[in-house]
Amino acid sequence: MICACPQCGARYKVADPPPALFRCQRCSTEIRPNEPAAAPPSSSPPPPATSRSSSTILRSKPVVAPPGPTPSVAIPAATAPAHYLISNRGHLRLPLDRPFLLGRDLDCDLVFEDGRASRRHAQLEWRENRFHLTDLGSANGTWLDSKRIHASALSDGAEFRIGSQPLLYREIRDPQQLVECARTFRQSTHNDSTAVTDLNSLLPKTDFTGNIGTMTPVEVCQLLHLGNRSGRLLILSSDGGRGVIYFQEGRVLAAEYDDLMQGDEAVLKIFRIRSGEFSFQTRFECRQPNVVSTIEHLLLEAARLQDEIPLADFDPRGPTRVIRRQP
């Protein structure tokens, strides 16, 4: 559909049905394609003036658009909001024509320097006029509204978490609204104590037990670390393996696995147990510290090994075999 500016005569190609209102790019005159065009002026000459007080009608030649391609007009912004992902470090506009990848891999669209995140942790994809969040088989999961999810459609204002990073999905029409949303979100996530309180509430204040099928050793250690807990975590795998990790105010002090491994090596071995039971007791104290690395480094190393060693090729009681996946 072709519309012409009533002021300067510039012609525009618009969608069918056309927008209710847009402005001429040449003279900024409002153009209303749905309203009938004004009647053309009479071709007869104006009547002669009868006195000096008679008004004079001034007519100017219409400005003809220069030759060239007909400019197109975008749909007004009010009908097409932009989609943004906001973190406590900034914001990114989400593409509609391809998946948006999140993870530790440098090829991802949003890269995390967090051992709790997998190399390709999750993706956002536009389909059926909505963005969908999908977990890509990550070790520690993708959490939406405090629930671990595999896939879910997002609504405006949805908050989710990857590793220790909170993220906010927004549909924005006004750039000023984006600035205000980003500022408010940064302020709400600036203090990590909120996240620590939420995660710490998942664990009892005293001794507790659980099943590894429900919560992995990595997830239990994360909660003990963020909750500044002290005590002994005992892991019993379904094939008879036994691992112990000692905590003091959230720090890993010592670890052993089957009396054959100690220190960092034992922690990484325990992190790979996939079935069995665990128990945490607060009355135990560390005998002799033997873990050198921080919990953050151990989680990062465990995530790296998780990406490189398929679970089917890993024996938690036997020697570790590093098998790199084919590209």
Side-chain angles (χ1 to χ4, degrees):
M1 179 177 180
I2 304 299
C3 294
C5 175
Q7 179 65 30
C8 66
R11 294 164 59 84
Y12 295 90
K13 182 179 180 180
V14 297
D16 189 11
L21 170 67
F22 64 91
R23 290 187 177 276
C24 177
Q25 298 179 358
R26 185 180 304 278
C27 65
S28 299
T29 299
E30 293 184 353
I31 303 176
R32 303 176 183 271
N34 295 324
E35 293 185 3
S42 174
S43 58
S44 58
T50 57
S51 65
R52 293 181 179 270
S53 62
S54 300
S55 59
T56 302
I57 300 178
L58 301 178
R59 299 179 183 274
S60 60
K61 294 183 179 180
V63 178
V64 180
T70 302
S72 60
V73 175
I75 300 299
T79 63
H83 306 266
Y84 286 91
L85 187 63
I86 301 174
S87 72
N88 52 17
R89 295 185 178 181
H91 58 269
L92 292 170
R93 184 166 181 172
L94 297 174
L96 303 181
D97 57 347
R98 62 175 178 82
F100 184 89
L101 293 176
L102 306 97
R104 293 189 353 263
D105 197 298
L106 295 180
D107 292 334
C108 292
D109 298 284
L110 182 59
V111 180
F112 297 92
E113 296 179 354
D114 185 352
R116 303 171 181 87
S118 297
R119 290 186 183 275
R120 289 178 174 260
H121 194 107
Q123 74 175 18
L124 289 164
E125 185 176 15
W126 178 261
R127 62 178 186 272
E128 299 176 354
N129 294 324
R130 299 183 71 179
F131 265 103
H132 293 255
L133 174 64
T134 304
D135 184 86
L136 300 179
S138 64
N140 297 316
T142 301
W143 299 79
L144 175 64
D145 296 330
S146 302
K147 296 180 180 179
R148 187 169 182 169
I149 58 100
H150 170 67
S152 178
L154 296 182
S155 301
D156 185 22
E159 293 189 26
F160 60 96
R161 181 179 294 271
I162 291 180
S164 60
Q165 178 65 57
L167 298 165
L168 173 66
Y169 167 74
R170 287 305 313 267
E171 300 173 1
I172 302 294
R173 292 180 173 86
D174 183 5
Q176 184 59 38
Q177 182 187 7
L178 173 62
V179 174
E180 182 64 24
C181 286
R183 183 185 64 82
T184 303
F185 189 69
R186 283 195 302 269
Q187 290 178 349
S188 65
T189 59
H190 178 71
N191 190 349
D192 290 337
S193 59
T194 302
V196 170
T197 301
D198 293 340
L199 292 173
N200 195 30
S201 63
L202 298 176
L203 294 178
K205 299 299 182 183
T206 57
D207 299 354
F208 60 89
T209 60
N211 189 286
I212 295 177
T214 304
M215 184 176 293
T216 67
V218 169
E219 293 170 338
V220 177
C221 289
Q222 289 177 3
L223 296 177
L224 293 173
H225 166 61
L226 294 174
N228 296 322
R229 306 296 290 275
S230 298
R232 184 189 74 166
L233 176 64
L234 174 63
I235 305 288
L236 299 176
S237 66
S238 57
D239 60 0
R242 181 181 184 274
V244 179
I245 301 178
Y246 292 91
F247 286 84
Q248 184 178 55
E249 296 181 354
R251 294 182 295 114
V252 176
L253 293 184
E256 58 186 35
Y257 184 84
D258 272 355
D259 296 327
L260 300 176
M261 295 182 181
Q262 293 185 347
D264 295 22
E265 186 181 15
V267 174
L268 295 177
K269 200 76 170 181
I270 293 171
F271 280 174
R272 292 192 170 278
I273 297 176
R274 290 294 178 263
S275 61
E277 298 180 347
F278 64 84
S279 62
F280 182 73
Q281 297 171 302
T282 59
R283 293 184 298 275
F284 282 86
E285 295 182 359
C286 177
R287 289 174 286 184
Q288 182 67 34
N290 58 22
V291 173
V292 177
S293 303
T294 63
I295 183 65
E296 290 83 1
H297 176 81
L298 292 170
L299 291 170
L300 185 63
E301 181 66 11
R304 183 185 68 81
L305 294 175
Q306 169 69 22
D307 293 331
E308 294 179 349
I309 304 177
L311 295 182
D313 296 322
F314 180 77
D315 180 1
R317 294 184 63 100
T320 301
R321 295 182 292 158
V322 177
I323 303 176
R324 296 190 179 275
R325 295 176 177 173
Q326 297 296 326

